């Protein structure tokens, strides 16, 4: 492999953000080993090098085989991008247990499967960069998406610890947090709706579902611009733990930080009242 060419392992390159990222990576001449469940992706390798493998992130055997194939072809892994995922809408109570477990299987355990498969190589190399595609919803929840949000919160919680564990070993971790991007995400090809509907949630979850229905196809975020931003971020000498994508994501994340700060300030003395030292003084 010519010096300087980077090897990217990207899940879910058949559509949306993963496809645009793969396209941008290939355009700069890097190598993409990408996956989709049916092993197909309509992409032109251009100046790069492309291998598309069939892989369901929930199938550990397929995950191990795909990561191994990437490594045995190129003898290195530079970027591992956990992009595959899907949305699930409905109030927390409206979502069935099977649906809740299903979205955690793909969005959290699927990413964990890929990370487990890639880590021995990344650790041995003492370099590499894991990008976990979460969501603004992995940082702040909304009515109507609580279980999807929880699956991404889980991904973020794990990623924060992983970043601390891998930093001394030379491996980086970044959580990518997109706002609303114009992909298949909100279409019936990708999105799942809760199996139940309860009238009491019409004004909360119901309103949000109607909003998502309205913005489908009109989301402000451009997936090609997201891909360009991700490339700029990974090229930086000090990439962040979190990268928000889109003004909507920035705004919502800042609002949450302000709310948390306000709660902490307002309840500070009660929070501090719980130590043995304060109780006994
Ligand atoms: N678009 C947004 O507004 C938005 C916002 C926040 C976060 N995100 C996150 O961004 C990521 C990409 O979403 P997108 O917007 O690009 O959606 P998308 O257009 O629906 O594409 C989803 C991709 O994930 C793959 N995938 C889904 N389940 C899979 C599984 N079990 N195993 C392997 N691949 C699987 C799909 O591959 P197949 O061809 O096999 O179905 C497809 O390539 C997701 O993690 C999503 O949660 C998106």
């Amino acid at each position: 492999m010519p010096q300087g060419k980077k090897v990217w392992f990207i899940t879910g390159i058949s559509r949306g953000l993963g496809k645009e990222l793969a396209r941008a990576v290939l355009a700069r001449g890097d190598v993409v080993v990408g996956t989709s469940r049916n092993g197909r992706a309509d992409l032109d390798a251009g100046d790069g090098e492309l291998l598309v493998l069939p892989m369901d992130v929930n199938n550990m055997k397929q995950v191990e085989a795909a990561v191994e194939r990437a490594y045995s072809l190129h003898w290195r892994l530079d970027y591992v991008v956990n992009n595959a995922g899907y949305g699930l809408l409905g109030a927390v109570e409206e979502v069935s247990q099977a649906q809740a477990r299903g979205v955690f299987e793909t969005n959290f355990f699927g990413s964990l499967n890929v990370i487990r498969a890639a880590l021995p190589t990344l650790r041995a190399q003492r370099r590499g960069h894991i990008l976990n595609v979460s969501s603004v919803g992995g940082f702040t929840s909304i009515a109507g998406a609580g279980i999807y949000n929880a699956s991404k919160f889980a991904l973020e919680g794990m990623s924060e610890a992983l970043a601390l564990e891998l930093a001394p070993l030379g491996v980086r971790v970044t959580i990518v947090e997109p706002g609303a991007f114009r992909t298949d995400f909100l279409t019936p090809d990708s999105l799942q709706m809760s199996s139940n509907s309860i009238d009491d949630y019409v004004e909360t979850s119901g309103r949000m579902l109607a909003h998502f229905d309205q913005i489908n196809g009109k989301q402000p975020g451009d997936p090609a611009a997201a891909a360009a931003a991700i490339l700029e971020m990974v090229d930086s000498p000090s990439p962040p733990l979190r990268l928000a994508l889109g003004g909507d994501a920035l705004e919502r994340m800042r609002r949450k930080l302000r709310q948390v700060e306000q709660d902490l300030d307002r309840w500070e003395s009660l929070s501090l009242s719980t130590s043995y030292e304060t109780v006994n003084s």
Side-chain angles (χ1 to χ4, degrees):
M1 158 151 339
Q3 207 56 26
K5 272 198 185 221
K6 304 286 190 208
V7 178
W8 292 69
F9 186 88
I10 309 175
T11 66
I13 65 160
S14 53
R15 300 182 274 141
L17 293 170
K19 184 173 187 176
E20 288 308 323
L21 180 61
R23 202 194 303 278
V25 167
L26 291 167
R28 70 179 198 174
D30 279 352
V31 176
V32 172
V33 178
T35 73
S36 68
R37 277 174 290 187
N38 66 9
R40 287 198 292 274
D42 182 19
L43 275 166
D44 183 357
D47 295 332
E49 211 178 304
L50 172 67
L51 174 67
V52 189
L53 296 172
M55 192 191 89
D56 186 325
V57 293
N58 298 308
N59 182 330
M60 191 61 189
K61 280 212 165 75
Q62 281 185 351
V63 170
E64 281 170 348
V67 171
E68 202 177 304
R69 182 90 188 276
Y71 183 69
S72 63
L73 276 176
H74 302 291
W75 301 107
R76 60 192 280 181
L77 288 177
D78 295 292
Y79 300 102
V80 174
V81 186
N82 283 302
N83 163 74
Y86 69 90
L88 169 62
L89 297 183
V92 169
E93 190 185 351
E94 293 172 327
V95 169
S96 73
Q97 192 73 345
Q99 287 182 311
R101 288 189 186 277
V103 82
F104 267 79
E105 280 299 333
T106 295
N107 293 358
F108 176 72
F109 288 106
S111 302
L112 182 58
N113 286 343
V114 173
I115 289 166
R116 278 191 205 284
L119 273 181
T121 298
L122 299 176
R123 281 189 293 103
Q125 291 176 166
R126 289 291 196 263
R127 66 178 166 75
H129 194 164
I130 297 171
L131 310 186
N132 289 331
V133 181
S134 173
S135 165
V136 57
F139 191 79
T140 177
S141 289
I142 49 170
I147 302 296
Y148 168 74
N149 292 152
S151 72
K152 295 293 194 179
F153 267 66
L155 180 64
E156 298 212 5
M158 182 259 288
S159 303
E160 287 184 0
L162 198 62
L164 295 171
E165 292 160 4
L166 295 180
L169 308 180
V171 179
R172 290 165 162 163
V173 178
T174 295
I175 304 163
V176 179
E177 293 162 315
F181 277 78
R182 219 171 290 175
T183 67
D184 283 355
F185 186 72
L186 291 177
T187 70
D189 286 339
S190 294
L191 188 66
Q192 263 195 34
M193 304 301 292
S194 63
S195 42
N196 305 316
S197 171
I198 300 172
D199 282 351
D200 280 347
Y201 296 114
V202 165
E203 287 303 314
T204 51
S205 170
R207 264 176 196 269
M208 202 49 83
L209 267 51
H211 167 71
F212 280 126
D213 199 37
Q214 274 166 12
I215 67 163
N216 181 24
K218 302 184 202 104
Q219 296 97 322
D222 172 356
I230 289 171
L231 291 189
E232 188 171 333
M233 180 274 291
V234 300
D235 286 344
S236 136
S238 50
L241 174 62
R242 285 191 162 78
L243 176 68
L245 294 176
D248 52 344
L250 264 188
E251 209 273 318
R252 283 182 51 200
M253 290 173 71
R254 288 205 165 116
R255 197 186 321 149
K256 168 155 180 181
L257 290 172
R258 284 195 298 271
Q259 281 167 353
V260 172
E261 197 72 43
Q262 275 169 17
D263 281 348
L264 294 178
D265 287 347
R266 179 154 177 236
W267 295 92
E268 181 176 321
S269 59
L270 190 61
S271 301
L272 293 174
S273 71
T274 55
S275 70
Y276 285 109
E277 208 178 309
T278 15
V279 171
N280 298 328
S281 66

